[in-house]
Amino acid sequence: MFFTKCRSEFALGSLPVEILCASRRLKTDLIVVPLSVDFVSQGWTTKQLLHELVSKANCSVLGIPSAQKQGVDRFNLAS
């Protein structure tokens, strides 16, 4: 309702590569990564994934903490 121009897309492959490819294909201005998702099973820590996206994306990248971790474990995008 509030985000009428938002789209999402599901892709398989190397996690950061697929996220970046989808981002460019969709011409996004923001990539949102849920920090509560298990990226380790894909071979990535959350910090590694966000670092890769921040360094290569042509748009902003935002890590959203889970509700239970909010205020306790925040990711520092500057690191």
Coordinates of all heavy atoms in Angstrom, one line a residue:
M1 N 0.8 -1.2 0.0 CA 0.0 0.0 0.0 C 0.9 1.3 0.0 O 0.6 2.2 -0.8 CB -0.9 0.0 1.2 CG -1.8 1.1 1.3 SD -3.0 0.8 2.7 CE -3.4 2.4 3.1
F2 N 1.9 1.3 0.9 CA 2.7 2.5 0.9 C 3.8 2.5 -0.1 O 4.3 3.5 -0.5 CB 3.4 2.6 2.3 CG 2.4 2.8 3.4 CD1 2.1 1.8 4.3 CD2 1.8 4.1 3.5 CE1 1.2 2.1 5.3 CE2 0.9 4.3 4.5 CZ 0.6 3.3 5.4
F3 N 4.2 1.3 -0.6 CA 5.3 1.1 -1.5 C 4.9 0.6 -2.8 O 5.1 -0.6 -3.1 CB 6.4 0.2 -0.9 CG 6.9 0.7 0.5 CD1 6.5 0.1 1.6 CD2 7.8 1.8 0.6 CE1 6.9 0.6 2.9 CE2 8.2 2.3 1.8 CZ 7.8 1.7 2.9
T4 N 4.1 1.4 -3.5 CA 3.5 0.9 -4.8 C 4.5 0.5 -5.9 O 4.2 -0.2 -6.7 CB 2.5 1.9 -5.3 OG1 3.2 3.1 -5.5 CG2 1.4 2.1 -4.4
K5 N 5.7 1.1 -5.8 CA 6.7 0.8 -6.8 C 7.8 -0.2 -6.4 O 8.8 -0.4 -7.0 CB 7.4 2.1 -7.3 CG 6.4 3.0 -8.0 CD 7.2 4.2 -8.5 CE 6.1 5.1 -9.2 NZ 6.8 6.2 -9.9
C6 N 7.6 -0.8 -5.2 CA 8.5 -1.8 -4.7 C 8.3 -3.2 -5.4 O 7.2 -3.5 -5.8 CB 8.3 -2.1 -3.2 SG 9.0 -0.8 -2.2
R7 N 9.4 -3.9 -5.7 CA 9.4 -5.2 -6.3 C 10.4 -6.1 -5.5 O 11.4 -5.6 -5.0 CB 9.8 -5.1 -7.7 CG 8.8 -4.4 -8.6 CD 9.2 -4.4 -10.0 NE 9.6 -5.7 -10.5 CZ 10.1 -5.9 -11.7 NH1 10.3 -4.9 -12.5 NH2 10.5 -7.1 -12.1
S8 N 10.2 -7.3 -5.5 CA 11.1 -8.3 -5.0 C 11.4 -9.3 -6.0 O 10.5 -9.5 -6.9 CB 10.6 -8.9 -3.7 OG 9.5 -9.6 -3.9
E9 N 12.5 -10.0 -5.9 CA 12.8 -11.1 -6.9 C 13.6 -12.2 -6.2 O 14.4 -11.9 -5.3 CB 13.7 -10.4 -8.0 CG 14.0 -11.3 -9.1 CD 14.6 -10.6 -10.3 OE1 14.1 -9.6 -10.7 OE2 15.6 -11.1 -10.8
F10 N 13.3 -13.4 -6.6 CA 14.0 -14.5 -6.0 C 15.0 -15.1 -7.1 O 14.6 -15.2 -8.2 CB 13.0 -15.6 -5.6 CG 13.7 -16.8 -5.0 CD1 14.1 -16.8 -3.7 CD2 13.9 -18.0 -5.8 CE1 14.7 -17.9 -3.1 CE2 14.5 -19.1 -5.2 CZ 14.9 -19.0 -3.9
A11 N 16.3 -15.4 -6.7 CA 17.3 -15.9 -7.6 C 18.1 -16.9 -6.9 O 18.3 -16.8 -5.7 CB 18.1 -14.7 -8.1
L12 N 18.7 -17.8 -7.7 CA 19.6 -18.8 -7.1 C 21.0 -18.5 -7.7 O 21.2 -18.0 -8.8 CB 19.2 -20.2 -7.5 CG 17.9 -20.7 -7.0 CD1 17.5 -22.0 -7.6 CD2 17.9 -20.8 -5.5
G13 N 22.1 -18.8 -6.9 CA 23.4 -18.6 -7.3 C 24.2 -18.0 -6.2 O 23.8 -18.0 -5.0
S14 N 25.4 -17.5 -6.5 CA 26.3 -16.9 -5.5 C 25.5 -15.7 -4.9 O 25.0 -14.8 -5.6 CB 27.6 -16.4 -6.1 OG 28.3 -15.6 -5.2
L15 N 25.3 -15.7 -3.6 CA 24.4 -14.7 -2.9 C 24.7 -13.3 -3.3 O 23.8 -12.6 -3.8 CB 24.5 -15.0 -1.4 CG 23.4 -14.4 -0.6 CD1 22.0 -14.8 -1.1 CD2 23.6 -14.8 0.9
P16 N 25.9 -12.7 -3.1 CA 26.1 -11.3 -3.4 C 26.0 -11.0 -4.9 O 25.5 -10.0 -5.3 CB 27.5 -11.0 -2.9 CG 28.2 -12.3 -2.7 CD 27.1 -13.3 -2.5
V17 N 26.5 -12.0 -5.7 CA 26.4 -11.8 -7.2 C 25.0 -11.7 -7.6 O 24.6 -10.8 -8.4 CB 27.2 -12.9 -7.9 CG1 26.9 -12.8 -9.4 CG2 28.7 -12.8 -7.6
E18 N 24.1 -12.6 -7.2 CA 22.7 -12.6 -7.6 C 22.0 -11.4 -7.0 O 21.1 -10.8 -7.7 CB 22.0 -13.9 -7.1 CG 22.5 -15.1 -7.9 CD 22.2 -15.0 -9.4 OE1 21.2 -14.4 -9.8 OE2 23.0 -15.5 -10.1
I19 N 22.3 -11.0 -5.8 CA 21.7 -9.8 -5.3 C 22.0 -8.5 -6.1 O 21.2 -7.7 -6.4 CB 22.0 -9.6 -3.8 CG1 21.4 -10.7 -2.9 CG2 21.6 -8.2 -3.3 CD1 21.9 -10.7 -1.5
L20 N 23.3 -8.4 -6.4 CA 23.8 -7.3 -7.2 C 23.2 -7.3 -8.6 O 22.8 -6.3 -9.1 CB 25.3 -7.2 -7.2 CG 26.0 -6.9 -5.9 CD1 27.5 -7.1 -6.0 CD2 25.7 -5.5 -5.5
C21 N 23.2 -8.5 -9.2 CA 22.6 -8.6 -10.6 C 21.1 -8.2 -10.6 O 20.6 -7.5 -11.5 CB 22.8 -10.0 -11.2 SG 24.4 -10.4 -11.6
A22 N 20.4 -8.7 -9.6 CA 18.9 -8.4 -9.5 C 18.7 -6.9 -9.3 O 17.9 -6.3 -9.8 CB 18.3 -9.2 -8.4
S23 N 19.6 -6.3 -8.4 CA 19.5 -4.9 -8.1 C 19.7 -4.1 -9.4 O 19.0 -3.1 -9.6 CB 20.6 -4.6 -7.1 OG 21.0 -3.3 -7.1
R24 N 20.7 -4.4 -10.2 CA 20.9 -3.7 -11.4 C 19.8 -3.9 -12.4 O 19.4 -2.9 -13.1 CB 22.3 -4.1 -12.0 CG 23.4 -3.5 -11.1 CD 24.8 -3.8 -11.7 NE 25.8 -3.3 -10.8 CZ 26.6 -4.1 -10.1 NH1 26.6 -5.4 -10.2 NH2 27.5 -3.6 -9.2
R25 N 19.3 -5.1 -12.5 CA 18.3 -5.4 -13.5 C 17.0 -4.7 -13.1 O 16.3 -4.2 -14.0 CB 18.0 -6.9 -13.5 CG 17.1 -7.4 -14.5 CD 17.0 -9.0 -14.7 NE 16.9 -9.7 -13.4 CZ 17.9 -10.3 -12.8 NH1 19.1 -10.4 -13.3 NH2 17.7 -11.0 -11.7
L26 N 16.7 -4.6 -11.8 CA 15.5 -3.9 -11.3 C 15.7 -2.4 -11.2 O 14.7 -1.7 -10.9 CB 15.0 -4.5 -10.0 CG 14.6 -5.9 -10.0 CD1 14.4 -6.5 -8.6 CD2 13.3 -6.1 -10.8
K27 N 16.9 -1.9 -11.4 CA 17.3 -0.5 -11.2 C 16.8 0.0 -9.9 O 16.2 1.0 -9.7 CB 16.6 0.3 -12.4 CG 17.1 -0.1 -13.7 CD 16.5 0.7 -14.8 CE 17.0 0.2 -16.1 NZ 16.2 0.6 -17.2
T28 N 17.3 -0.7 -8.8 CA 16.9 -0.4 -7.5 C 17.7 0.8 -6.9 O 18.8 1.1 -7.4 CB 17.1 -1.5 -6.5 OG1 18.5 -1.9 -6.5 CG2 16.3 -2.7 -6.9
D29 N 17.1 1.5 -6.0 CA 17.8 2.5 -5.3 C 18.1 2.2 -3.8 O 18.6 2.9 -3.1 CB 17.1 3.9 -5.4 CG 15.7 3.8 -4.8 OD1 15.2 2.7 -4.4 OD2 15.0 4.8 -4.9
L30 N 17.7 0.9 -3.4 CA 18.0 0.4 -2.1 C 18.0 -1.1 -2.1 O 17.1 -1.7 -2.6 CB 16.9 0.9 -1.1 CG 17.0 0.5 0.3 CD1 18.2 1.0 1.0 CD2 15.7 0.9 1.1
I31 N 19.0 -1.7 -1.4 CA 19.0 -3.1 -1.1 C 18.8 -3.3 0.4 O 19.6 -2.7 1.1 CB 20.3 -3.8 -1.6 CG1 20.6 -3.6 -3.1 CG2 20.4 -5.2 -1.2 CD1 21.9 -4.0 -3.6
V32 N 17.8 -4.1 0.8 CA 17.6 -4.3 2.2 C 17.9 -5.8 2.5 O 17.4 -6.7 1.8 CB 16.1 -4.0 2.5 CG1 15.8 -4.3 4.0 CG2 15.7 -2.6 2.2
V33 N 18.7 -6.0 3.5 CA 19.2 -7.3 3.9 C 18.7 -7.6 5.3 O 19.1 -6.9 6.2 CB 20.7 -7.4 3.8 CG1 21.1 -8.8 4.2 CG2 21.2 -7.1 2.4
P34 N 17.9 -8.6 5.5 CA 17.4 -9.0 6.9 C 18.6 -9.6 7.6 O 19.2 -10.6 7.1 CB 16.3 -9.9 6.6 CG 16.5 -10.5 5.3 CD 17.2 -9.4 4.5
L35 N 19.0 -9.1 8.7 CA 20.1 -9.6 9.5 C 19.8 -10.9 10.2 O 20.7 -11.6 10.6 CB 20.7 -8.6 10.4 CG 21.1 -7.3 9.8 CD1 21.6 -6.3 10.9 CD2 22.2 -7.5 8.7
S36 N 18.5 -11.3 10.3 CA 18.2 -12.5 11.0 C 18.2 -13.8 10.1 O 18.1 -14.9 10.6 CB 16.8 -12.4 11.6 OG 15.8 -12.1 10.5
V37 N 18.5 -13.6 8.8 CA 18.5 -14.7 7.9 C 19.8 -15.5 8.0 O 20.9 -14.9 8.2 CB 18.3 -14.3 6.4 CG1 18.5 -15.4 5.4 CG2 16.9 -13.6 6.3
D38 N 19.8 -16.8 7.9 CA 21.0 -17.6 8.0 C 21.8 -17.6 6.7 O 21.4 -18.3 5.8 CB 20.6 -19.1 8.4 CG 21.8 -20.0 8.4 OD1 23.0 -19.5 8.5 OD2 21.6 -21.2 8.2
F39 N 22.8 -16.8 6.6 CA 23.6 -16.7 5.3 C 24.8 -17.7 5.4 O 25.4 -18.0 4.4 CB 24.1 -15.3 5.1 CG 23.1 -14.3 4.9 CD1 22.9 -13.3 5.8 CD2 22.2 -14.4 3.9 CE1 21.9 -12.3 5.7 CE2 21.2 -13.4 3.7 CZ 21.1 -12.4 4.6
V40 N 25.1 -18.2 6.6 CA 26.2 -19.2 6.8 C 26.0 -20.4 6.0 O 27.0 -20.9 5.4 CB 26.4 -19.5 8.3 CG1 27.4 -20.5 8.5 CG2 26.7 -18.2 9.1
S41 N 24.8 -20.9 5.9 CA 24.5 -22.1 5.0 C 24.8 -21.8 3.6 O 25.1 -22.7 2.8 CB 23.1 -22.5 5.2 OG 22.2 -21.5 4.7
Q42 N 24.9 -20.5 3.2 CA 25.3 -20.1 1.8 C 26.8 -19.8 1.7 O 27.3 -19.4 0.7 CB 24.5 -18.9 1.4 CG 23.0 -19.1 1.4 CD 22.6 -19.9 0.2 OE1 23.2 -19.8 -0.9 NE2 21.6 -20.7 0.3
G43 N 27.5 -20.0 2.9 CA 28.9 -19.7 2.9 C 29.3 -18.3 3.2 O 30.4 -17.9 2.9
W44 N 28.4 -17.5 3.7 CA 28.6 -16.1 4.0 C 28.2 -15.7 5.4 O 27.1 -16.2 5.8 CB 27.8 -15.2 3.0 CG 28.2 -15.3 1.6 CD1 27.7 -16.2 0.7 CD2 29.2 -14.5 0.9 NE1 28.4 -16.0 -0.5 CE2 29.3 -15.0 -0.4 CE3 30.0 -13.5 1.3 CZ2 30.1 -14.5 -1.3 CZ3 30.8 -12.9 0.4 CH2 30.9 -13.4 -0.9
T45 N 29.0 -14.9 6.1 CA 28.5 -14.3 7.3 C 27.7 -13.1 6.9 O 27.9 -12.5 5.8 CB 29.7 -14.0 8.3 OG1 30.4 -12.9 7.7 CG2 30.5 -15.2 8.6
T46 N 26.9 -12.6 7.8 CA 26.2 -11.3 7.5 C 27.1 -10.2 7.2 O 26.9 -9.4 6.3 CB 25.2 -11.0 8.7 OG1 24.4 -12.1 8.9 CG2 24.4 -9.8 8.4
K47 N 28.2 -10.1 8.0 CA 29.2 -9.0 7.9 C 29.8 -9.1 6.5 O 30.0 -8.1 5.8 CB 30.2 -9.1 9.0 CG 31.1 -7.9 9.0 CD 32.0 -7.9 10.2 CE 32.9 -6.7 10.2 NZ 33.7 -6.5 11.4
Q48 N 30.2 -10.3 6.1 CA 30.9 -10.5 4.8 C 29.9 -10.1 3.6 O 30.3 -9.4 2.7 CB 31.3 -11.9 4.6 CG 32.5 -12.4 5.4 CD 32.7 -13.9 5.3 OE1 31.7 -14.7 5.2 NE2 33.9 -14.3 5.4
L49 N 28.7 -10.6 3.7 CA 27.7 -10.3 2.7 C 27.5 -8.8 2.6 O 27.5 -8.2 1.5 CB 26.4 -11.0 3.0 CG 25.3 -10.7 2.0 CD1 25.6 -11.1 0.6 CD2 24.0 -11.3 2.5
L50 N 27.2 -8.1 3.7 CA 27.0 -6.7 3.7 C 28.2 -5.9 3.2 O 28.1 -4.9 2.4 CB 26.5 -6.2 5.1 CG 25.1 -6.5 5.4 CD1 24.8 -6.1 6.9 CD2 24.1 -5.9 4.5
H51 N 29.4 -6.3 3.6 CA 30.6 -5.6 3.1 C 30.7 -5.8 1.6 O 31.0 -4.8 0.9 CB 31.8 -6.2 3.8 CG 33.1 -5.6 3.3 ND1 33.5 -4.3 3.6 CD2 34.1 -6.1 2.5 CE1 34.6 -4.0 3.0 NE2 35.0 -5.1 2.3
E52 N 30.4 -7.0 1.1 CA 30.5 -7.2 -0.4 C 29.5 -6.3 -1.1 O 29.8 -5.7 -2.1 CB 30.2 -8.7 -0.7 CG 30.5 -9.1 -2.1 CD 31.9 -9.2 -2.5 OE1 32.8 -9.2 -1.6 OE2 32.2 -9.3 -3.7
L53 N 28.3 -6.3 -0.6 CA 27.2 -5.5 -1.2 C 27.5 -4.0 -1.1 O 27.4 -3.3 -2.1 CB 25.9 -5.8 -0.6 CG 25.3 -7.2 -0.8 CD1 24.0 -7.3 0.0 CD2 25.1 -7.5 -2.2
V54 N 27.9 -3.5 0.0 CA 28.2 -2.1 0.2 C 29.4 -1.7 -0.8 O 29.3 -0.6 -1.4 CB 28.6 -1.7 1.6 CG1 29.2 -0.4 1.8 CG2 27.4 -1.8 2.5
S55 N 30.4 -2.5 -0.9 CA 31.5 -2.1 -1.8 C 31.2 -2.2 -3.3 O 31.9 -1.5 -4.0 CB 32.7 -3.0 -1.4 OG 32.5 -4.4 -1.8
K56 N 30.2 -3.0 -3.7 CA 30.0 -3.2 -5.1 C 28.7 -2.7 -5.6 O 28.5 -2.6 -6.8 CB 30.1 -4.6 -5.5 CG 31.6 -5.1 -5.3 CD 31.7 -6.6 -5.7 CE 33.2 -7.0 -5.5 NZ 33.4 -8.4 -5.9
A57 N 27.7 -2.4 -4.7 CA 26.4 -1.9 -5.2 C 26.5 -0.5 -5.7 O 27.2 0.3 -5.2 CB 25.4 -2.0 -4.0
N58 N 25.6 -0.2 -6.6 CA 25.5 1.2 -7.1 C 24.3 1.9 -6.5 O 23.7 2.8 -7.1 CB 25.4 1.2 -8.6 CG 24.3 0.4 -9.2 OD1 23.5 -0.3 -8.4 ND2 24.1 0.4 -10.5
C59 N 23.9 1.4 -5.3 CA 22.8 2.0 -4.6 C 23.1 1.8 -3.1 O 24.0 1.2 -2.7 CB 21.4 1.4 -5.0 SG 21.3 -0.4 -4.6
S60 N 22.2 2.3 -2.2 CA 22.3 2.2 -0.8 C 22.0 0.7 -0.4 O 21.2 0.0 -1.0 CB 21.4 3.1 -0.1 OG 21.7 4.4 -0.4
V61 N 22.7 0.3 0.7 CA 22.4 -1.0 1.3 C 22.1 -0.9 2.8 O 22.7 -0.1 3.5 CB 23.7 -1.9 1.2 CG1 23.5 -3.3 1.8 CG2 24.1 -2.1 -0.3
L62 N 21.0 -1.5 3.2 CA 20.5 -1.4 4.5 C 20.3 -2.7 5.2 O 19.7 -3.6 4.6 CB 19.1 -0.7 4.5 CG 18.4 -0.5 5.8 CD1 19.2 0.5 6.7 CD2 17.0 0.1 5.6
G63 N 20.9 -2.9 6.3 CA 20.8 -4.2 7.1 C 19.7 -3.9 8.2 O 19.8 -3.0 9.0
I64 N 18.7 -4.8 8.2 CA 17.6 -4.6 9.1 C 17.7 -5.7 10.2 O 17.7 -6.9 9.9 CB 16.2 -4.8 8.4 CG1 16.1 -3.8 7.3 CG2 15.1 -4.7 9.4 CD1 15.9 -2.4 7.8
P65 N 17.9 -5.3 11.5 CA 18.0 -6.3 12.5 C 16.7 -7.0 12.8 O 15.6 -6.4 12.5 CB 18.5 -5.5 13.7 CG 18.1 -4.2 13.5 CD 18.1 -4.0 12.0
S66 N 16.7 -8.2 13.3 CA 15.5 -8.9 13.7 C 14.9 -8.1 14.9 O 15.6 -7.5 15.7 CB 15.7 -10.3 14.0 OG 16.5 -10.5 15.2
A67 N 13.6 -8.3 15.2 CA 13.0 -7.6 16.3 C 13.6 -8.0 17.6 O 13.7 -7.2 18.5 CB 11.5 -7.9 16.3
Q68 N 14.0 -9.3 17.8 CA 14.5 -9.8 19.0 C 15.9 -9.2 19.3 O 16.4 -9.1 20.4 CB 14.5 -11.3 19.1 CG 15.3 -11.9 18.0 CD 14.8 -13.4 17.8 OE1 14.0 -13.9 18.5 NE2 15.3 -14.0 16.7
K69 N 16.7 -8.9 18.2 CA 18.1 -8.4 18.4 C 18.1 -6.9 18.3 O 19.2 -6.3 18.6 CB 19.0 -9.0 17.3 CG 19.3 -10.4 17.4 CD 20.3 -10.8 16.3 CE 20.9 -12.1 16.6 NZ 21.9 -12.4 15.6
Q70 N 17.1 -6.3 18.0 CA 17.1 -4.8 17.8 C 17.6 -4.1 19.1 O 17.1 -4.4 20.1 CB 15.7 -4.3 17.4 CG 15.8 -2.9 16.9 CD 14.5 -2.5 16.2 OE1 13.6 -3.2 16.2 NE2 14.5 -1.3 15.7
G71 N 18.5 -3.3 18.9 CA 19.1 -2.5 20.1 C 20.2 -3.3 20.8 O 20.9 -2.7 21.5
V72 N 20.4 -4.6 20.5 CA 21.4 -5.4 21.2 C 22.6 -5.6 20.3 O 23.7 -5.4 20.6 CB 20.8 -6.7 21.6 CG1 21.9 -7.6 22.2 CG2 19.7 -6.5 22.6
D73 N 22.3 -6.0 19.0 CA 23.4 -6.3 18.1 C 23.2 -5.6 16.8 O 22.6 -6.1 15.9 CB 23.4 -7.9 17.9 CG 24.5 -8.3 17.0 OD1 25.5 -7.7 17.0 OD2 24.4 -9.4 16.4
R74 N 23.7 -4.4 16.7 CA 23.6 -3.7 15.4 C 24.8 -3.8 14.6 O 25.9 -3.8 15.1 CB 23.3 -2.2 15.8 CG 22.0 -2.0 16.4 CD 21.8 -0.5 16.7 NE 20.6 -0.4 17.4 CZ 19.4 0.1 16.9 NH1 19.4 0.5 15.7 NH2 18.4 0.2 17.7
F75 N 24.7 -3.9 13.3 CA 25.8 -4.0 12.4 C 26.3 -2.6 12.0 O 25.5 -1.7 11.7 CB 25.3 -4.7 11.1 CG 26.4 -4.9 10.1 CD1 27.3 -6.0 10.3 CD2 26.6 -4.1 9.1 CE1 28.4 -6.1 9.4 CE2 27.7 -4.2 8.2 CZ 28.5 -5.3 8.4
N76 N 27.6 -2.4 12.0 CA 28.2 -1.2 11.7 C 28.6 -1.2 10.3 O 29.6 -1.9 9.9 CB 29.4 -0.9 12.6 CG 30.1 0.4 12.4 OD1 29.6 1.1 11.5 ND2 31.1 0.7 13.1
L77 N 27.9 -0.5 9.4 CA 28.2 -0.5 8.0 C 29.5 0.1 7.7 O 30.1 -0.1 6.6 CB 27.1 0.2 7.2 CG 25.8 -0.6 7.1 CD1 24.8 0.2 6.3 CD2 26.0 -1.9 6.4
A78 N 30.0 0.9 8.5 CA 31.3 1.6 8.3 C 32.5 0.6 8.5 O 33.6 0.9 8.1 CB 31.5 2.8 9.3
S79 N 32.3 -0.5 9.1 CA 33.4 -1.4 9.4 C 33.8 -2.2 8.2 O 33.1 -2.4 7.3 CB 33.1 -2.3 10.6 OG 32.0 -3.1 10.3

